[in-house]
Amino acid sequence: MIVNSLSLCYHNKLILAPMVRVGTLPMRLLALDYGADIVYCEELVDLKMLQCKRVVNEVLRTVDFVAPDDRVVFRTCEREQSRVVFQMGGMGAALLSDPDNIEKILSTLVKGTCRPVTCKIRILPSLEDTLSLVKRIERTGIAAIAVHGRKREERPQHPVSCEVIKAIAETLSIPVIANGGSHDHIQQHLDIEEFRRATAASSVMLARAAMWNPSIFLKEGLRPLTEVMQKYIRYAIQYDNHYTNTKYCLCQMLREQLESPQGKLLHAAQSSQEICEAFGLGAFYEETTRELDARRAELLARTPEEAREPAEDNSGIIKMAVKFDRRVYPPQITPKMCLLEWCRKEKLAQPVYETVQRPLDRLFCSVVTVAEQKYQSTLWDKSKKLAEQTAAIVCLRSRGLPEGRLDEESSSLHKRKREAPDQDPGGPGGQEPTPPGELCKKPLVALRSEESPLEGW
């Protein structure tokens, strides 16, 4: 049996399971705060990671893996070093039907990295086939195996097979991580140990129970949900989590309370700031934003001129310090739409936007050209779309034109409905709007480094 030179211990551990759209940095940090020993990130497609560029984000003090479209695919920080497991591989439980490929992938990973490799599977229709598979997986040299005690076609409402997990644990010499006990077996922290004993597993991995309330890992017992959600939001703001992902995770926590007054405020929120205000954290949002802006300004001041944004001929550009705030515009109305409508009415060429990204902090600035005149906001934005909206605002305001705000008189645009409005205030850190699915069963690699916390990730 091959043994990795660097081992992340999987004995007697409490583990946050890999969950689509849930296992992002804020949730992982929250789980660690409440007592989780190891945290798995959400599923990440290996091809996307190969296309990513590794970026040290000095403003957030994170390491980001950024896709060609500027979306942050994976973000990590020193706090979770040696405790985060990077998940990748085939979709769903597809690999279960191809044991030869399972063995090939795992053997290659074990031989090709000094970091511990684990595998997560569901059980097969027969115990005999399941035991045959896990023995074959063990021979690849992986550090541990996580077992979701349900068959591939079974759903959370089906009972978890503790007996099968136990049979696997008694058969293998490597640690077995029991998964699938949320709700039926685990409602509070004390139930975790009961589930571990029932399965004879080395460790326990929690998915839905941790998604509903991450303080399930806390020995002292569950914390009030309001407290947990506020703590999650603070991490989301501090690490610039995209508001749609933040909103999704909060909805999973609220569950049956989604129709409550606070649930309705959350549902209506269209930005991180609005989410904060819905939970009484408006002042925290403003304070954190100022702190990040100050950190960004300090870094810019220390950066050599040649390392900043590309030099441009700014002569003749009309500039204003403006920001686009989605809340002051009605649904389906944006400054870009108003500017385009005005150009059409005046029989002018449609606006042309030129956007650049600053290498240091990856913020965006856009210049719009209308009737041979250029307009630009002096404030940089988190996304290309936001930068274009602010450039449009500069143009409209300098020409004394309505920009579609709620406090302006109604215009023809307010009466028109657009099927695909350009109103996404999101940034490059956004998550794919993929609906949540079952937990993924695929190779997993623990990230651990003996070097500097921000090197080699």
Side-chain angles (χ1 to χ4, degrees), residues 213-228:
N213 190 330
S215 68
I216 188 74
F217 293 108
L218 199 61
K219 292 181 180 179
E220 292 77 13
L222 290 170
R223 300 299 303 162
L225 192 58
T226 299
E227 173 190 315
V228 174

Side-chain angles (χ1 to χ4, degrees), residues 106-313:
L106 292 176
S107 297
T108 302
L109 284 172
V110 169
K111 293 174 183 177
T113 180
C114 61
R115 291 169 172 80
V117 177
T118 67
C119 179
K120 184 171 183 291
I121 67 166
R122 281 191 177 228
I123 61 177
L124 298 177
S126 75
L127 177 59
E128 181 182 3
D129 288 342
T130 302
L131 293 180
S132 175
L133 175 63
V134 297
K135 288 177 185 177
R136 192 171 177 181
I137 288 174
E138 181 182 37
R139 288 195 293 270
T140 66
I142 64 170
I145 183 169
V147 181
H148 183 162
R150 292 184 179 89
K151 300 181 182 69
R152 177 163 52 183
E153 68 277 6
E154 291 181 329
R155 294 296 175 260
Q157 62 267 28
H158 294 97
V160 62
S161 299
C162 294
E163 302 79 11
V164 176
I165 301 177
K166 184 176 182 181
I168 294 172
E170 292 173 345
T171 300
L172 303 184
S173 59
I174 60 174
V176 171
I177 304 165
N179 176 232
S182 294
H183 193 267
D184 290 341
H185 293 267
I186 301 172
Q187 280 95 43
Q188 56 183 330
H189 183 85
L190 292 174
D191 299 330
I192 299 176
E193 178 60 20
E194 290 299 319
F195 182 62
R196 191 193 67 78
R197 289 176 181 171
T199 57
S202 299
S203 299
V204 173
M205 173 181 281
L206 299 180
R208 290 178 299 143
M211 177 178 69
W212 295 330
N213 190 330
S215 68
I216 188 74
F217 293 108
L218 199 61
K219 292 181 180 179
E220 292 77 13
L222 290 170
R223 300 299 303 162
L225 192 58
T226 299
E227 173 190 315
V228 174
M229 296 175 80
Q230 287 186 338
K231 192 169 184 178
Y232 170 82
I233 293 170
R234 289 175 184 271
Y235 274 133
I237 301 304
Q238 289 168 347
Y239 289 99
D240 195 25
N241 200 50
H242 193 276
Y243 88 90
T244 56
N245 181 249
T246 301
K247 185 174 177 178
Y248 175 83
C249 292
L250 291 171
C251 285
Q252 304 313 304
M253 295 185 205
L254 275 178
R255 293 198 293 162
E256 65 274 5
Q257 299 179 44
L258 280 172
E259 294 303 316
S260 66
Q262 189 166 61
K264 291 179 180 178
L265 286 174
L266 174 61
H267 180 73
Q270 293 298 312
S271 67
S272 293
Q273 183 174 1
E274 290 182 29
I275 292 174
C276 285
E277 290 169 352
F279 287 83
L281 293 172
F284 172 81
Y285 177 86
E286 297 292 344
E287 179 184 348
T288 304
T289 300
R290 285 195 298 269
E291 180 182 333
L292 293 177
D293 285 344
R295 197 181 298 169
R296 187 176 293 112
E298 180 184 353
L299 287 169
L300 282 171
R302 291 194 280 111
T303 303
E305 190 67 32
E306 59 271 17
R308 300 188 188 183
E309 60 268 19
E312 295 183 28
D313 179 10

Side-chain angles (χ1 to χ4, degrees), residues 13 36 50 54 63 81 84-85 89 91 98 111 136 173-174 191 246 261 264 267 270 277 318-319 342 347 350 401:
K13 301 297 182 183
L50 288 172
R54 180 183 180 276
V63 173
Q81 186 188 11
V84 63
V85 177
M91 300 298 290
D98 192 354
K111 293 174 183 177
R136 192 171 177 181
S173 59
I174 60 174
D191 299 330
T246 301
K264 291 179 180 178
H267 180 73
Q270 293 298 312
E277 290 169 352
I318 295 176
K319 299 180 180 182
W342 181 81
K347 295 182 170 53
Q350 70 180 37
L401 300 172

